[in-house]
Amino acid sequence: MEKPIVTLDKDTTCSSWNYCGQRLATGSVDGTLSIFDSRDPASSSFTCSSRTKVYDGGIIKVVWVPPEYGDAIACICIDGSLLLWEEVVEDAQPLQWKLCKSFKTNSAQLLDVQFGVSSTSLKMVAAYSDGHVRVYELPDPLELKNWQLQAEFQNVIESLATFARASCLSASISWNPLKGENQESSFVLGFNSNTPQLNSSKVWEFDQAHNRWLPVAELASPEDKGDPVYAVAWAPNIGRPYEVIAVSTQKGIAIWHVGLNPDLGGRLSVAKVASLEGHGGEVWQMEWDMSGMTLATTGSDGMVRLWQSNLNGVWHEQATLVPTS
């Protein structure tokens, strides 16, 4: 019988895996941030190395900062605030977690946050319940508290369009995970909102020449552009002449190919190459493996499904993982 590698508390609400350090972070309904580490590199079991009360209410999401910027975690709290906690050593004391930055919001709720590494700095994109997107930049990698607001916009193709009364239930962000030295920063973003123009997943790329973010692709068929988006996932690229992005909506999971070379208008070519059906409900989370060849998905049916494409580009379900209880 298979043994679990880690047992989480029953009030755990979210988790985030640090591939580099082989660490797991979890958040709970009482505002506790827990860190699980492997004591023995030869063992696949993990034990809780620290528990820190970081907030008086619930934590709804935790995200690791890229490992080259140290051991730090962003916590999205139930009131919409964003707390950035860093693991530090002070005066020969054991490792402990300390608050290094707090991002307060006005009336809008923070829905998702993700980090991306560019050739010049660390960037963080945050999506809010009013449909706005804020991109922050960290000029000094040694100062995690000194973030600067780089841009703010809404997830629409028309640059002059704004929707003041937008109400979004959720958002999903995924950065381009691997970039060449000459590639600009880019991410894909989709909303689940009452405003159809905000919903469809758009690829945003930073225009260095004009110091602005531009929508360079829209991942939706003309008849599907208003469909709420539940999750997006950008696959690592290990040599393909195109990017692969997965998008989950009420109609299932779509696999998109995105071209690398923009046309004269700056737009990238897109092609929907597969529709994955099998989950008995909404798909809330998707993750690619490090090769960008296998997609793991999970949602309201409680199943974890693994998807792959064969040599002919035909996608199929490779495995289904059923919960034990």
Side-chain angles (χ1 to χ4, degrees):
M1 182 178 177
E2 295 288 340
K3 295 177 63 177
I5 62 173
V6 62
T7 301
L8 305 181
D9 297 334
K10 63 180 180 179
D11 61 351
T12 298
T13 56
C14 52
S15 64
S16 180
W17 181 254
N18 184 332
Y19 293 96
C20 182
Q22 297 294 296
R23 313 180 79 187
L24 180 70
T26 66
S28 68
V29 294
D30 67 352
T32 297
L33 172 66
S34 301
I35 307 297
F36 295 83
D37 291 287
S38 177
R39 299 295 187 186
D40 180 7
S43 171
S44 60
S45 62
F46 289 74
T47 56
C48 185
S49 58
S50 71
R51 295 183 192 274
T52 306
K53 182 81 168 180
V54 300
Y55 181 68
D56 289 333
I59 301 174
I60 60 176
K61 187 161 191 168
V62 289
V63 181
W64 285 94
V65 171
E68 55 264 48
Y69 290 85
D71 288 307
I73 296 173
C75 300
I76 299 179
C77 304
I78 197 167
D79 70 341
S81 59
L82 174 64
L83 307 177
L84 195 60
W85 286 78
E86 186 177 16
E87 193 175 42
V88 296
V89 178
E90 289 185 348
D91 303 325
Q93 296 293 319
L95 286 171
Q96 55 184 319
W97 289 86
K98 286 206 162 186
L99 179 66
C100 66
K101 181 68 174 178
S102 176
F103 297 82
K104 298 297 183 183
T105 61
N106 42 29
S107 59
Q109 187 88 3
L110 179 60
L111 300 176
D112 193 17
V113 64
Q114 295 293 336
F115 297 93
V117 179
S118 72
S119 58
T120 57
S121 65
L122 175 66
K123 289 182 170 62
M124 177 178 70
V125 59
Y128 295 84
S129 59
D130 60 359
H132 278 85
V133 185
R134 292 176 185 162
V135 182
Y136 296 89
E137 188 174 31
L138 186 70
D140 186 348
L142 300 179
E143 292 290 341
L144 277 176
K145 60 184 179 183
N146 293 335
W147 290 87
Q148 296 178 357
L149 179 63
Q150 184 192 51
E152 182 172 0
F153 49 87
Q154 285 189 312
N155 191 43
V156 292
I157 294 292
E158 299 79 11
S159 59
L160 297 179
T162 56
F163 301 92
R165 297 185 178 276
S167 177
C168 308
L169 296 176
S170 64
S172 183
I173 306 161
S174 183
W175 281 88
N176 183 352
L178 295 176
K179 300 173 293 297
E181 291 184 1
N182 298 323
Q183 280 186 283
E184 299 291 359
S185 301
S186 54
F187 62 87
V188 60
L189 165 69
F191 278 101
N192 173 9
S193 80
N194 65 349
T195 305
Q197 294 90 333
L198 293 175
N199 287 342
S200 60
S201 299
K202 286 107 178 165
V203 175
W204 291 86
E205 184 174 284
F206 187 65
D207 177 9
Q208 189 76 42
H210 300 91
N211 195 35
R212 60 180 179 176
W213 287 87
L214 296 174
V216 294
E218 186 173 20
L219 307 182
S221 304
E223 66 275 12
D224 301 332
K225 288 186 177 181
D227 292 350
V229 172
Y230 303 135
V232 294
W234 195 315
N237 191 341
I238 56 174
R240 289 185 296 257
Y242 52 84
E243 301 290 352
V244 177
I245 300 176
V247 177
S248 164
T249 69
Q250 60 194 13
K251 296 174 183 174
I253 303 166
I255 303 296
W256 291 84
H257 286 182
V258 181
L260 302 180
N261 301 312
D263 60 19
L264 294 178
R267 297 293 178 87
L268 300 175
S269 62
V270 299
K272 182 178 176 181
V273 298
S275 296
L276 311 181
E277 298 179 356
H279 281 283
E282 300 171 358
V283 173
W284 298 330
Q285 189 170 2
M286 304 187 292
E287 295 282 350
W288 292 96
D289 70 343
M290 298 182 71
S291 69
M293 304 295 288
T294 302
L295 177 68
T297 62
T298 188
S300 58
D301 62 359
M303 304 287 189
V304 176
R305 302 181 189 274
L306 304 181
W307 309 86
Q308 290 182 340
S309 70
N310 59 24
L311 295 177
N312 296 322
V314 178
W315 284 83
H316 60 280
E317 188 175 326
Q318 183 73 11
T320 303
L321 308 180
V322 182
T324 56
S325 61

